[in-house]
């Protein structure tokens, strides 16, 4: 008799767990929609100073529009001023210049300085809104980036500063040219040695260089070093490569927090970077979110975004441009998405502190794939504070 009823009992427990959660139904992903559905978050996020807004794919229109909407809400209702995303701080500085002065073309800046997955209209819409907001408010918004992978942009920035202030100290790094006969990974080794040597001898300040520009020069050096370590280890140690990048991204966020001391910040990144530590089958990933949680505690809140169907924009492979023909495969049995789909609500946000949802989770990066779920189950509440579920999403619009 027990063998007959145990599966039924397990099913009833699962249903009871799902019904015990209290999702907040969302009315729209339109950034211009009113905030009536988001107002319940105001009290529950009142203690947060850094909020990470995630994405299960790098190319879903509704994820991007929901982040835009969320930042508007945080800015207008909760006093957030800093928007920072998983892309180059150097390109972000050019966007900030447009927001401040109107100089430059944000579409051209995004096309030239941002990763291909973020060369989308949804991002430029946010930039134009931030520019308009600053024109009509005394409390100004900031646009920033925190990724370390874009080594060439940090190199360009450091080269410009070196020319401007005649900083010969960086010449060994700026003049380094890799042997064409070695692999990309191997070419990183001299860069690491040069950066390590420079870090040991550079002073805390430099005569004739404004403090802010000297800090920027050292910031560029640190990011070049981190990127070199990441790329060097990709060939031999993927785990350490991932951890190096996320550790540096967290450091860049701490750098922004110091730069904009006392201001509250929203982050835009992939779900995988915003969560807490993930360890399974010998692989331990310490995401950026784990580092933030150690420093900020519950003042850091993260929101995953997941979907059940639709299409997404991504690169078919590393050598071609992104396209929008990629399908979101249906949720697999027992997955996090399947359990969220069981609520039968088209759009909602769910607090996870009491959630028992555990299952494989959809995660798609810059490259399209038919194999869209994590290899091992994820307990959502161990990694995230909240999850936004959108039953159907579509491809972001290429600029």
């Amino acid at each position: 008799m027990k063998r007959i009823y145990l599966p039924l009992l397990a099913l009833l427990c699962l249903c009871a767990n799902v019904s015990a959660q209290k999702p907040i139904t969302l009315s729209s992903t339109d950034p211009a929609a009113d905030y009536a559905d988001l107002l319940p978050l105001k009290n529950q996020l009142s203690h947060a100073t850094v909020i990470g807004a995630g994405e299960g794919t790098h190319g879903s229109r509704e994820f991007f529009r929901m982040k835009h909407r969320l930042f508007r809400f945080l800015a207008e209702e909760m006093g957030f001023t800093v928007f920072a995303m998983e892309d180059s701080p150097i390109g972000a500085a050019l966007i900030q210049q447009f927001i401040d002065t109107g100089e430059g073309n944000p579409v051209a800046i995004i096309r030239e300085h941002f990763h291909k997955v973020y060369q989308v209209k949804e991002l430029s819409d946010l930039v134009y809104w931030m520019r308009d907001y600053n024109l009509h408010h005394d409390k100004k918004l900031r646009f920033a980036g925190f990724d370390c992978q874009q080594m060439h942009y940090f190199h360009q920035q450091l080269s410009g500063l070196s020319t401007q202030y005649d900083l010969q100290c960086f010449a060994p790094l700026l003049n380094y040219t890799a042997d064409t006969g070695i692999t990309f990974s191997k070419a990183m080794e001299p860069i690491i040695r040069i950066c390590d040597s420079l870090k040991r001898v550079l002073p805390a300040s430099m005569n004739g260089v404004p403090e802010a520009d000297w800090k920027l020069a050292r910031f560029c050096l640190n990011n070049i070093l981190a990127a070199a370590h990441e790329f060097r280890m990709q060939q031999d140690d993927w785990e350490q490569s991932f951890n190096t990048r996320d550790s540096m991204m967290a450091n860049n966020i701490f750098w922004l927090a110091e730069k904009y001391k006392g201001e509250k910040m929203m982050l835009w990144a992939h779900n995988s970077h915003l969560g807490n530590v993930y360890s399974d089958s010998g692989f331990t990933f310490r995401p950026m979110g784990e580092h933030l949680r150690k420093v900020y505690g519950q003042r850091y809140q993260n929101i995953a975004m997941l979907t059940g169907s639709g299409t997404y924009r991504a690169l078919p492979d590393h050598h071609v441009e992104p396209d929008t023909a990629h399908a979101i495969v249906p949720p697999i049995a027992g997955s996090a998405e399947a359990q969220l789909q069981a609520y039968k609500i088209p759009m909602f946000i769910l607090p996870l502190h009491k959630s028992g949802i555990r299952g494989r989770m959809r995660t798609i990066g810059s490259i399209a794939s038919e194999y869209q779920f994590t290899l091992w189950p994820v307990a959502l509440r161990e990694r995230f504070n909240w999850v936004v579920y959108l039953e159907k999403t579509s491809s972001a619009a290429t600029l």
Side-chain angles (χ1 to χ4, degrees):
M1 187 65 69
K2 289 182 179 179
R3 291 181 180 176
I4 295 175
Y5 287 105
L6 276 177
L8 178 58
L9 179 60
L11 179 60
L12 290 173
C13 288
L14 175 62
C15 293
N17 176 64
V18 171
S19 63
Q21 305 307 306
K22 295 181 179 179
I24 300 169
T25 300
L26 298 173
S27 62
S28 177
T29 62
D30 184 351
D34 68 57
Y35 302 136
D37 55 335
L38 296 178
L39 287 176
L41 299 178
K42 195 169 182 178
N43 181 58
Q44 297 186 59
L45 293 175
S46 61
H47 61 290
T49 56
V50 179
I51 292 177
E55 57 200 37
T57 88
H58 275 319
S60 296
R61 173 175 171 80
E62 287 74 15
F63 289 163
F64 295 171
R65 282 165 60 86
M66 191 67 216
K67 294 191 205 196
H68 180 170
R69 185 175 183 229
L70 180 61
F71 184 63
R72 286 198 191 196
F73 169 74
L74 293 173
E76 296 182 339
E77 295 288 333
M78 299 184 65
F80 279 65
T81 54
V82 183
F83 172 87
M85 69 179 300
E86 183 194 339
D87 215 311
S88 165
I90 310 305
L94 297 175
I95 291 293
Q96 184 63 51
Q97 183 178 25
F98 166 77
I99 291 171
D100 288 340
T101 67
E103 297 177 7
N105 181 337
V107 171
I109 293 169
I110 292 170
R111 285 174 175 165
E112 183 176 351
H113 292 279
F114 283 67
H115 193 286
K116 290 180 180 181
V117 296
Y118 291 139
Q119 294 175 11
V120 293
K121 182 178 182 299
E122 292 78 12
L123 179 57
S124 66
D125 288 345
L126 170 62
V127 171
Y128 281 114
W129 175 80
M130 291 177 70
R131 165 69 177 161
D132 183 70
Y133 181 96
N134 279 7
L135 288 174
H136 298 94
H137 294 81
D138 293 331
K139 193 172 186 179
K140 305 304 182 184
L141 303 180
R142 335 277 197 171
F143 189 106
F146 55 78
D147 204 352
C148 66
Q149 286 195 122
Q150 298 83 359
M151 182 186 289
H152 54 297
Y153 292 131
F154 293 109
H155 187 282
Q156 289 174 10
Q157 181 77 64
L158 189 58
S159 178
L161 290 167
S162 294
T163 299
Q164 182 178 353
Y165 298 110
D166 193 24
L167 298 174
Q168 296 300 318
C169 56
F170 294 111
L173 176 62
L174 298 176
N175 295 335
Y176 166 71
T177 302
D179 183 343
T180 57
I182 61 176
T183 64
F184 179 73
S185 175
K186 195 71 174 175
M188 297 297 105
E189 293 179 2
I191 294 176
I192 292 170
R193 289 196 296 271
I194 294 168
C195 289
D196 280 336
S197 297
L198 287 172
K199 287 190 67 174
R200 284 195 295 269
V201 300
L202 288 179
S205 61
M206 178 67 75
N207 290 336
V209 182
E211 180 183 5
D213 283 347
W214 183 243
K215 284 184 176 180
L216 180 59
R218 293 172 64 90
F219 174 78
C220 290
L221 177 66
N222 289 336
N223 277 275
I224 291 171
L225 176 58
H229 274 296
E230 178 195 352
F231 298 143
R232 173 65 187 92
M233 290 181 289
Q234 280 181 355
Q235 180 174 330
D236 304 317
D237 191 342
W238 274 98
E239 178 180 342
Q240 189 57 37
S241 178
F242 289 155
N243 287 326
T244 296
R245 180 188 175 199
D246 274 62
S247 175
M248 190 65 214
M249 288 198 294
N251 286 337
N252 287 343
I253 290 168
F254 300 144
W255 190 82
L256 289 171
E258 180 64 25
K259 181 178 180 180
Y260 301 122
K261 191 180 291 289
E263 300 189 35
K264 294 189 285 188
M265 186 185 324
M266 185 188 114
L267 313 177
W268 167 327
H270 196 279
N271 290 338
S272 59
H273 298 301
L274 295 173
N276 301 325
V277 65
Y278 178 60
S279 182
D280 208 334
S281 296
F283 177 87
T284 299
F285 178 37
R286 292 179 174 83
M288 176 183 73
E290 172 76 7
H291 299 282
L292 299 180
R293 182 58 50 79
K294 285 183 178 179
V295 171
Y296 296 116
Q298 288 303 307
R299 291 184 294 122
Y300 170 62
Q301 294 283 296
N302 54 10
I303 305 170
M305 293 193 186
L306 299 173
T307 185
S309 62
T311 60
Y312 67 99
R313 178 181 179 274
L315 286 73
D317 61 53
H318 286 288
H319 307 292
V320 296
E321 295 299 308
D323 62 50
T324 59
H326 308 291
I328 295 290
V329 302
I332 59 177
S335 65
E337 283 81 355
Q339 294 172 65
L340 293 166
Q341 197 174 57
Y343 282 98
K344 300 189 182 301
I345 302 174
M347 294 185 289
F348 63 90
I349 182 168
L350 179 71
L352 295 171
H353 64 284
K354 294 182 179 179
S355 172
I357 294 176
R358 187 177 192 278
R360 293 169 64 188
M361 187 177 77
R362 193 188 312 274
T363 180
I364 304 171
S366 59
I367 307 298
S369 175
E370 296 179 3
Y371 305 98
Q372 299 178 1
F373 292 85
T374 57
L375 294 177
W376 300 283
V378 173
L380 289 191
R381 73 175 178 184
E382 293 178 3
R383 299 204 64 208
F384 307 102
N385 300 109
W386 304 78
V387 62
V388 167
Y389 180 74
L390 307 173
E391 174 54 38
K392 187 172 184 178
T393 52
S394 57
S395 303
T398 302
L399 283 175

